[in-house]
Structures are given as C-alpha cells and as structure tokens.
Amino acid sequence: DAGVTQSPTHLIKTRGQQVTLRCSPISGHKSVSWYQQVLGQGPQFIFQYYEKEERGRGNFPDRFSARQFPNYSSELNVNALLLGDSALYLCASSSTGDGNTIYFGEGSWLTVV
Amino acid sequence: AQSVAQPEDQVNVAEGNPLTVKCTYSVSGNPYLFWYVQYPNRGLQFLLKYITGDNLVKGSYGFEAEFNKSQTSFHLKKPSALVSDSALYFCAVRFPYGNNRLAFGKGNQVVVIP
C-alpha cells in the first residue's frame, strides 16, 4: 500500500507569490495534518483536517490556509510568501481512533527567494 | 502548554555500543508519546509509541523506549547501534481525546561511529 504522498517534492518561489502543496493520505485514513519544519528545528503543527472539517490550527498567520477534499486528500496554501516560509512542509495522516499512529509523507521542500 | 525536551544536540556512539536518546516531557494528564526518525532530506518515519500499558515499548529496527511517569521521560534505546542508525531522532507528545496535533522536541542528531 502507498504511504502518504506529497507533491511537489521541491519548488522555488519568489517573495509575495502564492504556493499550493498537495497531499494524499494513506488509503482509509480520514485525518490529514500539516506541519512546517524549518532547518534545524522540529516540525511545527499548522493544521489538522478530519472529514473535510478543520479540527485544529497552530500558531500560523492567516496567510496559511488548507482544505480537505471528499476523497480525503488535502491542499495547503500559503499566500504572500516570505523568506521565512522556506521550509520542509510535511503532511501526515492517521486513521480514526484515539492513539492511532500518525504517518508522515516525504515532504515538500519550499524555497522562497 | 505542551513541551518536549531533548536535551542533547548530538549523540555520538561507537558501532555495536548501546544507544540512548533522551526525551522528557512537561504536560499534565496522560499524553501519548512517539519517536520518529528522519534521514537526510527525507520525511519522518515512525519508530514506536506509548499509549498505555507496559512501560517498555518495542518498535521498528530494534529500537525500544521506556516510559517513566514519575520522571516524565520517554528515552529511546537500542542495545547495539549500527552505522545506518545515524539520523535525526524526534520525540513527540500528543494529548489523548483531542486532535492529532503532535508537539515535537528539537531533535537529536545521532552519529554512529564505525
């Protein structure tokens, strides 16, 4: 079975531009979360979606938004990119049930120049 | 607020020696605890988790972790380190009955010396 898949794997954007990152969860997983990992730090929680509804939001500005589709895939959008948005963006999925393991994708490397 | 501490920046160990990566947490209640490993330019790979039950948890690739509630610790261990274990290791905590938000420590770079 395929794991969590993310696209694109790498991209370069200019300050002020907008970016959309995509994620497909593991088959059967209905919960998708997004994390930002800046070089040298641990991942930071951005969003969680379950059954197309936002279930949690981290301490990120409104420039960050996300959505989940009926097939449980998800998109993360970042508007008005700043140099500090350069990071590895990780998508994670899990099945329903408390205590279930959260599995991560390989991430999307975003460089803002 | 949830907090996870991984006090050491880098752990150096000779191949074949025991490996320990330390993690302490400072949250109330009974959180769920996780260890993940990250190889260069890759995502996070799940190693093991503690939810409830036996304090010694066994995971992937020969790793295990011991939950100690009184010391609020969840140290990762491996009896005999391999060169291929060289990677970045993250401890994470999540509250039960809530969302799937994980709070991560800063990570520990493990270097296994041949």
Side-chain angles (χ1 to χ4, degrees):
Chain A
D1 287 342
V4 180
T5 57
Q6 294 186 241
S7 64
T9 54
H10 295 81
L11 69 166
I12 300 174
K13 291 286 188 177
T14 304
R15 278 180 297 175
Q17 285 188 318
Q18 176 264 343
V19 67
T20 298
L21 307 177
R22 296 176 177 83
C23 171
S24 293
I26 293 171
S27 178
H29 286 190
K30 298 181 179 181
S31 174
V32 171
S33 302
W34 287 95
Y35 289 78
Q36 180 197 64
Q37 185 181 14
V38 174
L39 194 63
Q41 298 181 19
Q44 297 291 318
F45 173 80
I46 309 175
F47 286 110
Q48 188 216 347
Y49 277 78
Y50 177 73
E51 291 280 15
K52 297 174 289 180
E53 291 189 2
E54 183 183 305
R55 290 297 185 92
R57 183 185 184 110
N59 188 24
F60 281 82
D62 292 343
R63 299 184 296 108
F64 289 76
S65 63
R67 56 180 175 170
Q68 187 177 31
F69 299 99
N71 65 353
Y72 304 111
S73 68
S74 178
E75 287 183 351
L76 175 69
N77 295 283
V78 187
N79 293 323
L81 285 167
L82 304 174
L83 296 179
D85 295 331
S86 296
L88 175 65
Y89 288 85
L90 294 162
C91 177
S93 79
S94 65
S95 59
T96 53
D98 208 42
N100 282 340
T101 300
I102 299 169
Y103 295 95
F104 285 82
E106 292 293 326
S108 294
W109 286 95
L110 171 64
T111 301
V112 182
V113 297
Chain B
Q2 301 179 18
S3 177
V4 180
Q6 294 182 247
E8 301 161 314
D9 288 331
Q10 182 164 311
V11 176
N12 296 323
V13 61
E15 186 177 23
N17 282 4
L19 168 64
T20 298
V21 188
K22 296 180 180 178
C23 173
T24 59
Y25 63 94
S26 56
V27 299
S28 58
N30 298 308
Y32 298 161
L33 297 159
F34 298 80
W35 276 101
Y36 288 86
V37 60
Q38 187 174 37
Y39 295 96
N41 301 315
R42 303 293 299 275
L44 301 178
Q45 292 183 28
F46 169 75
L47 283 178
L48 50 80
K49 67 181 178 183
Y50 175 80
I51 304 300
T52 187
D54 193 350
N55 289 343
L56 184 63
V57 179
K58 294 189 182 296
S60 306
Y61 313 119
F63 284 93
E64 59 188 29
E66 185 169 9
F67 172 67
N68 188 317
K69 186 171 184 177
S70 63
Q71 298 185 4
T72 61
S73 67
F74 190 55
H75 300 333
L76 181 70
K77 301 179 181 182
K78 186 172 183 179
S80 179
L82 302 173
V83 173
S84 57
D85 293 329
S86 298
L88 192 55
Y89 290 80
F90 288 98
C91 181
V93 62
R94 181 172 83 80
F95 274 122
Y97 312 120
N99 57 43
N100 278 350
R101 180 186 305 209
L102 289 172
F104 285 87
K106 65 179 177 60
N108 283 125
Q109 183 66 50
V110 169
V111 177
V112 182
I113 304 164

